[in-house]
Amino acid sequence: MTTFYHEFQKVLLSVDCIIFGFDENKLKILIGKRQMDPGRGEWSLYGGFVRNDESLDAAADRTLYELTGLRHVFMRQVGAFGNLDRDPGERVVSVAYYALINVRDYDDRLREEHGVEWVDIEDVPELYSDHNEMVRQARKLMQRKMKTEPVGFKLLPDLFTLTQLQRLYETVSGELLDKRNFRKRVKEMDFIEKTDLIDKVTSKRGAALFRFNKKAYKEDPNFKL
């Protein structure tokens, strides 16, 4: 490190991760009790400080991997949060990221080890500092993204029913969708393929299972749902 800028005040830089999952037809996020001062014991997002030898994206990737053990996860930056009073300990600026994971890919033992819980997006408690605002903005960005790109499939298992797909879009948007119109629109999309498999677990009658075809989407990416 050089001795430049020694006349200026140093500011701490951190990253916070809003990790979305979809389970039991509900949109959820991972939160846990803060394990350091200030704010020890308060509900909080999972995050950490940026190291001197890593970029913001690298810090976010590392933080996400430490928590989930997952690599190559869809993740996008939400923005920077730097109100003067956001952290009573020091002057800390935090850059928030949101990530989408399939709940089934997440080892539950790792979740317990870190002391985090899946919480329904509609039941998120009061979080430490400005973390509730981070969640609000992350959900808003995700809503926009899902209207133009099929990123929602990253929250679903490889095989899913149309009911699961519709419920996902409803929980993310917060709006009910007309079943007939939704299914008509899905049938027009070549990259949502119907398989010969039947789901007899979540459907008493047995519902057809579908999959997302990445290759077909790349050939015809004009997506809007």
Side-chain angles (χ1 to χ4, degrees):
M1 299 294 290
T2 68
T3 58
F4 298 126
Y5 312 124
H6 63 273
E7 70 271 29
F8 296 104
Q9 175 187 343
K10 300 302 187 292
V11 175
L12 294 173
L13 182 62
S14 68
V15 293
D16 284 294
C17 295
I18 303 100
I19 304 172
F20 290 104
F22 184 68
D23 189 35
E24 298 177 342
N25 287 330
K26 294 181 180 180
L27 181 67
K28 300 184 178 183
I29 63 170
L30 274 175
I31 61 174
K33 293 295 183 71
R34 189 170 165 88
Q35 299 178 13
M36 62 185 295
D37 294 319
R40 186 183 298 271
E42 295 183 29
W43 286 107
S44 170
L45 296 172
Y46 192 84
F49 288 102
V50 179
R51 297 171 179 169
N52 289 334
D53 62 348
E54 62 185 0
S55 66
L56 280 171
D57 288 353
D61 285 337
R62 171 180 55 79
T63 301
L64 183 67
Y65 178 73
E66 288 174 354
L67 179 61
T68 66
L70 301 175
R71 296 285 193 188
H72 309 298
V73 172
F74 176 89
M75 185 164 56
R76 294 293 184 274
Q77 190 178 118
V78 177
F81 296 78
N83 286 346
L84 293 175
D85 60 350
R86 68 172 305 275
D87 193 309
E90 289 284 353
R91 180 78 170 94
V92 180
V93 174
S94 182
V95 179
Y97 286 77
Y98 79 91
L100 309 180
I101 70 172
N102 180 354
V103 173
R104 297 182 184 179
D105 291 338
Y106 185 24
D107 190 333
D108 206 51
R109 291 175 297 178
L110 198 57
R111 180 191 63 77
E112 293 179 354
E113 178 182 326
H114 286 283
V116 292
E117 299 179 17
W118 286 110
V119 177
D120 188 335
I121 191 68
E122 305 298 341
D123 299 323
V124 176
E126 186 68 26
L127 302 177
Y128 175 75
S129 185
D130 48 11
H131 289 188
N132 287 92
E133 179 61 18
M134 291 180 181
V135 173
R136 187 190 70 79
Q137 291 191 28
R139 186 182 186 185
K140 192 173 182 179
L141 288 174
M142 182 172 60
Q143 289 171 342
R144 294 176 184 171
K145 196 74 168 177
M146 284 182 62
K147 289 181 179 179
T148 58
E149 296 181 32
V151 297
F153 294 101
K154 300 182 183 298
L155 293 166
L156 293 170
D158 292 336
L159 296 174
F160 53 86
T161 67
L162 291 186
T163 297
Q164 287 176 309
L165 182 61
Q166 180 174 340
R167 185 56 183 154
L168 170 63
Y169 276 84
E170 288 177 336
T171 55
V172 171
S173 67
E175 301 176 355
L176 294 177
L177 301 174
D178 180 80
K179 181 177 179 179
R180 182 176 298 178
N181 290 338
F182 181 83
R183 298 199 171 200
K184 179 181 179 182
R185 184 73 186 95
V186 168
K187 289 181 179 180
E188 296 172 353
M189 299 176 182
D190 294 336
F191 52 84
I192 302 180
E193 298 180 336
K194 184 178 181 180
T195 71
D196 295 329
L197 302 174
I198 300 295
D199 172 32
K200 295 183 179 180
V201 178
T202 62
S203 173
K204 294 181 179 179
R205 294 183 178 180
L209 287 168
F210 291 73
R211 66 163 61 97
F212 173 65
N213 187 321
K214 294 181 181 179
K215 182 178 179 181
Y217 172 70
K218 290 180 179 179
E219 294 174 353
D220 183 19
N222 297 317
F223 175 84
K224 188 174 182 180
L225 191 56

